[in-house]
Amino acid sequence: MLIFTTGSGGKWIVFAEASGGGGGGGGGGFWYPAVLTTNVGLAIAVTAMAGLALAATVLYSHRGSLKSPWSRRRRKHALLPKQWKTFFTPDGKLSEGGVKFLKKVRSGGVDPSIRAEVWPFLLGVYDLKSSKEERDSVKAEKRKEYENLRKECRKIIHRYEKSSKLKETTGKSSNEDSGDLSQVFDSPGLEDEASSRRSVSSDGGSPVAEDLDHPVYDQSPECSGLLEGEDERDKSVLTCEDASAGDTESTDSDSSEDLENIPLLSVEGAEARHENPKESSSLSKADGNSKFYTDEDFATWQRIIRLDAVRANSEWTIYSPSQAAVSEMKAQRSAQIVGLKDYDHLEPSRIYHAARLVAILEAYALYDPEIGYCQGMSDLLSPIASVMEEDHEAFWCFAGFMKKARHNFRLDEVGIRRQLSIVSKIIKCKDNHLYRHLEQLQAEDCFFVYRMVVVLFRRELTFEQTLCLWEVIWADQAAIRAGIAKSAWGRMRLRAPPTDDLLLYAIAACVLQRRKLIIEKYSSMDEIMRECNSMAGHLDVWKLLDDAHDLVVTLHAKI
């Protein structure tokens, strides 16, 4: 404040106030001259100018903090049951083709109480434009298809066990009387069974499996396994034991991409996805002559599934009270039905959950025999099984999820390498300084985020955070699947368009959030890997999504 006295006795009082520009907003200053001849006028002027200065400071500080499409507000509320009901028309269809519904999920996730209703829409089990009557029909059809898959599983298990007993009998008889062999091999179908067998990558391992090198597991002691509490697990936890590696080459990567454009089908449909669609033979016959698997292959998958299932953690229990309160009798009966073993140390809820995992994963191995089962898939199914209480509903949601995630479990790792390459490109485009540092450490291929890609942040986030992240990712994928164009999102004033690669932008954002630490303190890829593995429980999922969408806005066209 400057005071000048005039010759006539009056006083010129000039106020000067400058704002502290925030975040690079800058800001210049405000000059307001005033002539005041009384103390009252002086007080009024001081009060007015203080108010203006405060308002300017707040305005500029807020403007300087705007960094991404979501940071104009704190996290929006999740989709609630009341609002969920308002999205439907009288005939049970989602209004506007589900655009508003997807926007809501994309910005805040789904309330836990309605996840079982909402997820089938997000995962493609139900079409966004379907009526209630159509969905009821689809549900009944898919229930029947799942039951048929389970029947085939039981047939294969029974046939394999019978064959194994015959082999044991044959081995004992050969030491006593060679003449008994002819009687054994006269058994119907046994010769065909034996001739159809081929070795699988189990105990001995296939040449392909032996060449796999996943640094995130092999070099880091903190990452010896995917599931919690599994100190005894083999360190190569993500090595896929795909039986087809023995005498068939992995199919071209196009086969995986073709899968995304085909509706979820029964076992017969699985053959059309992976083989010549003109062939009429059905995989549901499961007679050991399929190109993709034999009874022995299925037995190998089953063995690994059972081991993984009993190791699943129990953090899901608070989100599924009905499953958590299952009786011991029901749990034991479920375990016996699927042949679960070594579960005496588990409480009933975990036994029941493990039995469900076995049933659903065995069915999926038949549904998608090119992938079969690989360790890590149980991590993706466990949250879905905890939300979807009916096995057939959980199965089809999981199958919808795996349309994208199945790329992560191919033996040739084409899908994994493509995703790591995109993460690398995002980092390079956004922060060239960080990328050059990674190059110096020979870590520009971003293999230190391998685990994040394979199980979609399942180990880095809490259970609830994982579900929120997945729901936002699924909403993007559902929008693309439904053909919702960028213009539709533009009309809703949402800057970041839907993308199939939101997970990869989130992973890149996670690395970029630690750029200073990586550049200044880490001098090897092992150190970066340890940092990534120690993120569990220390990530803010909504900040992560905020930064990921910011990257989508600025880099989507370039990537």
Side-chain angles (χ1 to χ4, degrees):
M1 179 180 69
L2 303 177
I3 302 178
F4 301 95
T5 304
T6 64
S8 60
K11 294 181 180 178
W12 285 90
I13 304 176
V14 181
F15 290 88
E17 185 68 49
S19 72
F30 303 96
W31 290 82
Y32 296 91
V35 178
L36 302 175
T37 57
T38 65
N39 290 335
V40 175
L42 176 62
I44 293 173
V46 169
T47 303
M49 294 310 301
L52 287 171
L54 178 61
T57 302
V58 171
L59 173 64
Y60 276 84
S61 63
H62 275 279
R63 286 176 61 188
S65 66
L66 295 183
K67 295 181 179 179
S68 72
W70 286 12
S71 58
R72 288 184 177 85
R73 48 81 179 158
R74 290 173 296 180
R75 176 200 167 189
K76 286 185 179 180
H77 295 295
L79 173 63
L80 298 174
K82 185 176 181 180
Q83 187 176 16
W84 169 238
K85 293 179 181 179
T86 66
F87 285 145
F88 288 93
T89 61
D91 61 348
K93 291 185 177 181
L94 283 169
S95 58
E96 298 185 23
V99 173
K100 287 186 177 180
F101 155 63
L102 293 178
K103 177 195 173 185
K104 180 63 180 177
V105 175
R106 194 172 186 256
S107 65
V110 180
D111 185 80
S113 64
I114 56 172
R115 277 176 170 152
E117 299 176 42
V118 175
W119 282 11
F121 289 90
L122 295 177
L123 291 165
V125 180
Y126 299 146
D127 191 284
L128 292 175
K129 297 180 181 179
S130 62
S131 65
K132 185 180 185 305
E133 183 179 354
E134 291 169 336
R135 291 194 294 274
D136 289 342
S137 176
V138 168
K139 183 176 181 178
E141 179 184 349
K142 291 190 177 299
R143 178 196 289 268
K144 185 177 180 181
E145 291 177 5
Y146 174 74
E147 290 172 352
N148 288 337
L149 284 167
R150 287 300 306 151
K151 288 179 183 177
E152 294 300 334
C153 289
R154 288 190 288 271
K155 287 180 182 178
I156 294 172
I157 293 168
H158 177 72
R159 188 166 59 237
Y160 180 75
E161 289 177 348
K162 184 178 180 181
S163 175
S164 297
K165 288 179 181 178
L166 286 172
K167 284 184 177 181
E168 291 178 7
T169 303
T170 302
K172 292 179 181 178
S173 300
S174 63
N175 295 329
E176 299 174 0
D177 187 355
S178 60
D180 292 338
L181 289 175
S182 60
Q183 297 176 4
V184 174
F185 281 106
D186 283 340
S187 301
L190 179 61
E191 191 167 353
D192 292 337
E193 291 272 4
S195 64
S196 67
R197 300 270 188 253
R198 53 186 171 86
S199 60
V200 294
S201 55
S202 53
D203 298 332
S206 71
V208 178
E210 290 173 0
D211 290 338
L212 292 179
D213 180 23
H214 307 315
V216 76
Y217 296 103
D218 296 341
Q219 298 180 18
S220 174
E222 292 83 0
C223 271
S224 59
L226 271 172
L227 300 174
E228 296 179 6
E230 54 177 358
D231 295 337
E232 77 282 3
R233 174 172 288 194
D234 188 320
K235 292 185 178 180
S236 59
V237 66
L238 282 177
T239 299
C240 299
E241 307 229 9
D242 189 334
S244 63
D247 52 22
T248 61
E249 295 181 358
S250 181
T251 59
D252 190 87
S253 58
D254 291 340
S255 66
S256 297
E257 296 177 1
D258 292 343
L259 177 65
E260 299 163 14
N261 301 319
I262 299 176
L264 297 178
L265 302 173
S266 62
V267 179
E268 288 83 353
E271 182 180 41
R273 290 196 308 270
H274 303 293
E275 268 297 299
N276 188 342
K278 295 181 180 180
E279 295 180 8
S280 59
S281 60
S282 170
L283 287 176
S284 63
K285 295 177 182 178
D287 59 1
N289 293 321
S290 168
K291 173 182 177 181
F292 293 110
Y293 70 91
T294 66
D295 291 356
E296 193 172 63
D297 298 338
F298 185 83
T300 299
W301 294 331
Q302 183 193 56
R303 176 176 58 82
I304 307 169
I305 289 170
R306 288 174 176 175
L307 289 172
D308 285 355
V310 297
R311 291 168 176 163
N313 59 46
S314 59
E315 60 180 333
W316 58 270
T317 53
I318 61 173
Y319 300 95
S320 183
S322 61
Q323 294 184 59
V326 68
S327 67
E328 184 174 358
M329 181 180 295
K330 184 176 181 180
Q332 293 286 346
R333 185 167 62 250
S334 299
Q336 291 170 5
I337 289 173
V338 298
L340 199 64
K341 298 177 181 179
D342 301 323
Y343 58 84
D344 294 339
H345 62 290
L346 301 178
E347 56 269 26
S349 61
R350 291 186 64 186
I351 295 173
Y352 180 69
H353 186 69
R356 293 190 66 209
L357 295 182
V358 170
I360 295 169
L361 289 169
E362 285 180 355
Y364 185 81
L366 291 188
Y367 175 76
D368 186 1
E370 183 188 14
I371 299 300
Y373 178 76
C374 294
Q375 290 175 314
M377 288 166 61
S378 60
D379 273 347
L380 303 186
L381 173 60
S382 184
I384 294 176
S386 69
V387 170
M388 312 300 295
E389 297 193 355
E390 293 290 335
D391 282 7
H392 71 277
E393 293 180 337
F395 172 83
W396 289 110
C397 283
F398 179 66
F401 190 9
M402 286 294 290
K403 276 190 172 183
K404 287 290 182 184
R406 73 187 298 274
H407 299 291
N408 299 347
F409 301 99
R410 292 173 58 94
L411 269 179
D412 57 16
E413 293 195 308
V414 169
I416 289 289
R417 294 183 185 279
R418 170 197 163 271
Q419 293 176 84
L420 293 176
S421 175
I422 291 176
V423 173
S424 178
K425 288 178 182 178
I426 295 171
I427 294 173
K428 183 177 182 180
C429 291
K430 183 64 177 179
D431 192 333
N432 196 46
H433 184 195
L434 173 59
Y435 183 80
R436 288 199 305 270
H437 181 69
L438 294 177
E439 280 186 318
Q440 292 174 358
L441 305 183
Q442 297 183 334
E444 72 276 11
D445 57 7
C446 292
F447 256 65
F448 51 86
V449 297
Y450 187 96
R451 186 177 70 180
M452 294 182 192
V453 173
V454 173
V455 289
L456 292 84
F457 272 108
R458 181 66 189 87
R459 293 301 306 273
E460 286 69 33
L461 298 173
T462 65
F463 187 86
E464 177 62 23
Q465 286 178 327
T466 299
L467 299 191
C468 290
L469 175 67
W470 287 2
E471 286 165 350
V472 175
I473 291 173
W474 295 341
D476 266 21
Q477 294 172 353
I480 293 172
R481 191 167 56 243
I484 298 175
K486 293 181 181 179
S487 57
W489 297 94
R491 289 195 299 272
M492 294 185 293
R493 298 179 182 179
L494 193 62
R495 289 171 57 196
T499 171
D500 267 332
D501 294 321
L502 182 59
L503 170 71
L504 308 183
Y505 284 95
I507 291 173
C510 186
V511 176
L512 289 165
Q513 287 175 358
R514 287 156 176 76
R515 68 174 303 276
K516 183 176 181 181
L517 191 64
I518 293 172
I519 292 173
E520 295 181 356
K521 293 189 176 181
Y522 297 151
S523 57
S524 72
M525 190 171 76
D526 285 349
E527 292 178 321
I528 302 176
M529 197 179 302
R530 281 192 289 271
E531 173 64 25
C532 291
N533 296 337
S534 66
M535 291 178 185
H538 301 289
L539 291 174
D540 180 340
V541 67
W542 296 107
K543 177 66 168 67
L544 195 64
L545 283 167
D546 191 355
D547 290 350
H549 278 88
D550 192 24
L551 291 172
V552 173
V553 171
T554 56
L555 300 177
H556 185 65
K558 298 178 183 178
I559 301 299

